[in-house]
Amino acid sequence: MNHKLKKRGFVMTGGGAKGLYEAGVIHAFHLTGMEFDVITGSSIGAMNSAFFAEYLFQKRQLPAGVQADPLQAVEALDPLVKAYHHAWLLLPDKRVIDDSPEGPLGKLKDDLLRFNLSLPQLVRIGWWWTDPQRGALPEPGVWAAVLALARELGERLGGAGQVLRIFKEQRTALLQEAIRTYLGRFGMHRSLIPPGEDRKIRDIFTQPVSPLRPEHLAGAMTADEPGVKQYTLVDPQRTLRDYARQGIEVRLTRANYRTGRLEISAYVPLENFVRFLRKQAWRLQKFDPDTIPLGSFRLQVPGNPAAIDAAICSGRFPGVFTPFPISEIYPASDPENATLYRLLSAWLDDPQVETELAQANQPLQGETPGGTDSWERLYASWRAAGEMRDFFPRENDTYVDGGAIDNTPSNSAVDYVREWAEQAGHSKRDVVLELFVIFLGVEPKITPDEAQEPNFFQVVQRTLEIQGTAKQTSDTNTVSTINTFGQRGEELGQALKLALESFQESLGGLDEAQRAQVESLLREKARQAGLKGYLGRESEGILERMARWADDQVAHGLPLHVDEVKIYPQEMPLSTLQFTERLGYRQDNALKMLTMGCYNALWALQAHLEAQSKAQLDERDRVVLGLARRWTGVAQWPETEQELEPLRTAWQCQRTACVFHAGSCVHGMKKAS
């Protein structure tokens, strides 16, 4: 692997409050100077991705002398990372989900407490209503319950007239409409968080916050600290183009509410959009959209997304937030988004779009055979394909949580590196993608005793755990399978080339007639087998054609080599929606998750690099490994698993300046001793 070009990717998954674990992983990457070429994320992972991209952006603005010294760079950016951790721990006070007495949930609770209807009455009504043999009028006990329900509904739905309207107009969806009308009184008819209240998420990332200090962990958690320098986690004006120009590719998932399709928020110049269409349009033209699996196609559109809005869009948890409009992802004021809005409105029928895409295609003529005429024919075929139009968004489209389709966007990172290799003229087999994937759940294993005679609740909970883990790991498992296929294909290609070289040497000892006979026989057997890649019109030179074909297949026909490093938590003490104490948030659990992410990532990073030979390590690897050894205190890596396992739990972190070191981290000095 030492002869291959190395690219690095970072994948963060979705999981709501469990994203604290990713915040810990980012801390470990900060301490070790780890950098990435591509960062992908879904849901809360998209928001953490936006921060880490901003972190790398700020790092590249440091003076050259500071950047050149890894320790100086760590210390220079440490306040920003501490501010990031402080913002995470301030989440309960931000009340993203407002369960205070003055908030929508509190008001809903108070109103429900005034609901004067007993459980037996509700059971009587429900049992009677679902009885296929029920009469026109209920029995006296049920009738009394119905009257009581009508009285309560009239009070809460806006009077008897409103109740009659629902019964008259919504006979097929009575319960749904009644609930919608009732929740509308509290601004919750579209989502748990009323529209406008969701700006709190943006505020967390765009409003200044002070760096976390030890006294904050003792209960003085506050963002308002006069005289203390504060930091903005993500510049509100930052776009994904800003990151891309610093060599930081960011790709965030989103799910189109109308089409149900997976789309990618990324900086896509017009030239790259044309490349995308040239490569992918045939799939959209040839196949019915309904026959292409939702998660197998990662749609790109031209434009320059706002960084924080693209991240927030990916985290639109269904039912909690309203769908996010495309107009907020792509600022209309940015000239690079002008073509996108013309596409959304009139698709390829807009003459200006045609002109702009034709201009973007000009530099690509050498990449793809064909001249002006072929481009015109190609564009005409795209414009005529209604199936293709159905894949792309429209101007009023909205989006829900990207994790609904792709919660572990490893393939987005693979897409980027593959595109980079093709544009740079590299064979995909000359590049290795070192991919760090962060999971927000433990493997759903239980003991044999726990599996015996589970109750109803345990069966449901365990099934959901298995389902969630399977969804998270499916993408990475696919990457692993493809990677194995590519490795075996490369080995077969190399074996074929060696055989051809040996065959060529053997033919050198034959006279011209004998050589021609052998080549003719080889061509005939290839023809009978239906092999056309190197067949040619004549037998002469078939071995050379076969060798060139083998080279081309290895270079362009095989997938990218991906070296995955998976980082899992040992436990997960917080669940998805535990953003406030009433919903289950506890600071001790939050600290456990944050520190666990850090020490798990430190260990995984060092173990990954220690397993490689010196020849395989580039300059970035050597910097990262040196800092990892410094913080773990493990300068001499054990040679056997027997020696390694006790060290895995016993090592003591040397980063004493860390806020969590003394009292919160299990690998801190005081804790460990």
Side-chain angles (χ1 to χ4, degrees):
M1 194 173 78
N2 59 318
H3 67 284
K4 296 192 175 187
L5 298 167
K6 183 180 288 188
K7 303 294 271 188
R8 296 176 178 86
F10 185 16
V11 180
M12 283 184 271
T13 57
K18 295 186 287 186
L20 264 164
Y21 184 78
E22 294 171 340
V25 173
I26 287 172
H27 188 223
F29 289 159
H30 154 65
L31 293 178
T32 56
M34 190 67 180
E35 298 185 14
F36 297 93
D37 302 288
V38 55
I39 304 170
T40 69
S42 279
S43 199
I44 194 64
M47 300 181 200
N48 284 327
S49 294
F51 168 75
F52 194 60
E54 181 73 18
Y55 165 90
L56 292 178
F57 181 91
Q58 296 294 339
K59 185 175 183 178
R60 294 174 190 186
Q61 311 309 307
L62 295 173
V66 177
Q67 292 189 55
D69 186 326
L71 275 176
Q72 282 195 55
V74 168
E75 300 306 329
L77 290 166
D78 206 52
L80 175 62
V81 176
K82 287 178 177 176
Y84 169 56
H85 291 158
H86 196 183
W88 258 110
L89 297 176
L90 283 168
L91 267 179
D93 296 335
K94 293 292 185 180
R95 296 196 178 277
V96 174
I97 299 177
D98 192 353
D99 56 6
S100 67
E102 298 77 25
L105 280 178
K107 293 178 179 178
L108 174 63
K109 179 265 299 181
D110 290 341
D111 194 75
L112 289 173
L113 287 175
R114 293 192 294 270
F115 202 83
N116 190 21
L117 203 68
S118 68
L119 180 60
Q121 288 176 307
L122 288 173
V123 172
R124 283 194 180 98
I125 294 171
W127 200 254
W128 167 76
W129 186 257
T130 57
D131 185 0
Q133 306 298 322
R134 71 173 186 268
L137 295 175
E139 59 186 45
V142 177
W143 181 247
V146 170
L147 291 176
L149 176 62
R151 184 175 60 253
E152 294 293 330
L153 289 178
E155 181 179 337
R156 282 160 178 79
L157 297 181
Q162 186 76 320
V163 175
L164 291 173
R165 180 193 66 79
I166 293 173
F167 270 85
K168 182 180 179 180
E169 298 178 3
Q170 303 290 337
R171 286 186 173 275
T172 59
L174 288 175
L175 182 61
Q176 180 178 327
E177 179 63 17
I179 293 175
R180 189 198 68 80
T181 302
Y182 177 62
L183 293 178
R185 293 177 52 197
F186 310 96
M188 299 169 62
H189 55 293
R190 295 186 61 198
S191 58
L192 183 64
I193 299 176
E197 290 290 308
D198 56 2
R199 306 293 293 185
K200 294 176 181 177
I201 296 288
R202 169 187 287 275
D203 292 345
I204 291 169
F205 287 90
T206 59
Q207 290 186 352
V209 60
S210 62
L212 187 69
R213 300 194 305 275
E215 52 263 38
H216 290 140
L217 303 183
M221 199 73 68
T222 176
D224 185 17
E225 299 179 284
V228 177
K229 184 177 180 180
Q230 297 182 315
Y231 295 82
T232 299
L233 304 184
V234 180
D235 187 329
Q237 303 304 314
R238 192 78 68 218
T239 68
L240 297 189
R241 177 185 57 210
D242 298 331
Y243 300 139
R245 288 178 174 175
Q246 292 294 320
I248 311 159
E249 179 75 9
V250 179
R251 297 194 172 189
L252 310 175
T253 63
R254 63 188 195 225
N256 190 302
Y257 183 78
R258 178 182 60 84
T259 67
R261 292 285 166 184
L262 176 66
E263 298 179 19
I264 301 298
S265 294
Y267 172 53
V268 182
L270 280 184
E271 195 172 293
N272 286 358
F273 179 62
V274 173
R275 282 193 179 95
F276 176 81
L277 290 179
R278 280 185 170 276
K279 189 168 184 176
Q280 301 291 349
W282 69 273
R283 297 178 64 191
L284 310 184
Q285 294 173 304
K286 186 175 180 180
F287 298 102
D288 187 301
D290 294 336
T291 64
I292 300 178
L294 293 180
S296 69
F297 192 79
R298 293 166 292 280
L299 190 68
Q300 298 181 27
V301 298
N304 180 29
I308 191 60
D309 291 303
I312 291 172
C313 173
S314 185
R316 306 303 282 190
F317 195 89
V320 178
F321 300 99
T322 56
F324 199 81
I326 193 171
S327 58
E328 292 195 28
I329 307 172
Y330 297 89
S333 57
D334 190 329
E336 281 206 65
N337 293 329
T339 302
L340 171 64
Y341 281 104
R342 283 190 279 271
L343 276 169
L344 297 179
S345 175
W347 187 228
L348 299 175
D349 296 321
D350 189 318
Q352 192 167 347
V353 169
E354 184 173 4
T355 299
E356 290 168 351
L357 294 188
Q359 291 172 350
N361 180 67
Q362 287 298 320
L364 310 182
Q365 295 288 23
E367 297 182 10
T368 310
T372 305
D373 291 340
S374 76
W375 162 255
E376 292 174 350
R377 288 196 299 271
L378 193 62
Y379 189 88
S381 71
W382 296 345
R383 183 167 54 191
E387 300 86 356
M388 188 170 164
R389 175 67 182 105
D390 290 341
F391 268 87
F392 283 83
R394 300 176 185 268
E395 55 187 341
N396 294 319
D397 277 1
T398 57
Y399 294 86
V400 295
D401 200 312
I405 301 177
D406 189 3
N407 204 42
T408 312
S410 301
N411 282 320
S412 290
V414 176
D415 287 346
Y416 165 71
V417 177
R418 184 173 61 243
E419 293 162 12
W420 171 85
E422 291 172 352
Q423 292 176 37
H426 297 299
S427 162
K428 286 180 287 187
R429 300 306 298 177
D430 289 338
V431 182
V432 60
L433 169 59
E434 200 171 67
L435 193 62
F436 288 78
V437 186
I438 315 304
F439 293 96
L440 298 182
V442 299
E443 290 188 82
K445 295 180 180 179
I446 58 177
T447 66
D449 290 341
E450 292 175 310
Q452 299 299 314
E453 299 182 1
N455 60 38
F456 167 83
F457 176 78
Q458 290 170 323
V459 172
V460 174
Q461 183 181 39
R462 174 137 178 82
T463 303
L464 292 174
E465 289 173 352
I466 294 171
Q467 183 184 44
T469 304
K471 182 180 178 181
Q472 280 202 347
T473 58
S474 61
D475 199 3
T476 59
N477 290 338
T478 300
V479 170
S480 297
T481 301
I482 293 173
N483 197 48
T484 301
F485 163 76
Q487 187 65 37
R488 292 176 179 175
E490 184 176 2
E491 292 169 355
L492 287 170
Q494 297 299 333
L496 174 60
K497 289 175 64 178
L498 288 173
L500 288 172
E501 289 174 6
S502 179
F503 198 15
Q504 285 275 33
E505 291 176 3
S506 299
L507 289 181
L510 303 178
D511 60 35
E512 188 174 336
Q514 291 173 321
R515 180 183 176 95
Q517 184 179 6
V518 171
E519 289 182 327
S520 178
L521 180 62
L522 177 59
R523 184 183 184 280
E524 179 59 23
K525 287 186 175 295
R527 187 193 65 79
Q528 292 176 1
L531 303 176
K532 300 179 180 180
Y534 51 83
L535 199 62
R537 295 185 178 183
E538 305 291 339
S539 300
E540 186 178 0
I542 190 171
L543 289 177
E544 289 82 0
R545 294 195 300 273
M546 188 181 292
R548 289 195 298 271
W549 175 84
D551 283 334
D552 183 70
Q553 289 300 307
V554 170
H556 306 293
L558 294 178
L560 188 75
H561 180 87
V562 181
D563 188 7
E564 282 191 308
V565 181
K566 302 177 183 179
I567 301 177
Y568 288 92
Q570 289 91 354
E571 58 178 314
M572 188 51 67
L574 285 181
S575 62
T576 303
L577 295 179
Q578 290 183 336
F579 289 112
T580 69
E581 291 189 356
R582 184 177 295 278
L583 294 174
Y585 175 91
R586 300 291 182 271
Q587 183 171 297
D588 57 341
N589 287 336
L591 294 174
K592 183 184 295 184
M593 289 176 60
L594 206 159
T595 55
M596 189 195 309
C598 182
Y599 61 69
N600 280 357
L602 266 178
W603 184 263
L605 190 55
Q606 184 170 352
H608 172 69
L609 294 174
E610 296 280 9
Q612 300 179 42
S613 67
K614 289 184 178 180
Q616 292 175 308
L617 303 178
D618 61 14
E619 182 58 30
R620 176 58 53 190
D621 289 332
R622 288 187 282 272
V623 168
V624 171
L625 180 57
L627 287 172
R629 288 170 174 172
R630 181 186 183 95
W631 304 132
T632 64
V634 183
Q636 188 64 41
W637 198 253
E639 295 182 0
T640 66
E641 187 63 31
Q642 290 78 7
E643 297 174 287
L644 186 62
E645 191 53 39
L647 188 60
R648 194 192 308 272
T649 56
W651 66 272
Q652 296 183 354
C653 182
Q654 307 300 304
R655 176 68 176 174
T656 56
C658 176
V659 174
F660 312 110
H661 188 272
S664 302
C665 180
V666 298
H667 288 277
M669 298 295 287
K670 291 183 181 180
K671 281 281 188 178
S673 62

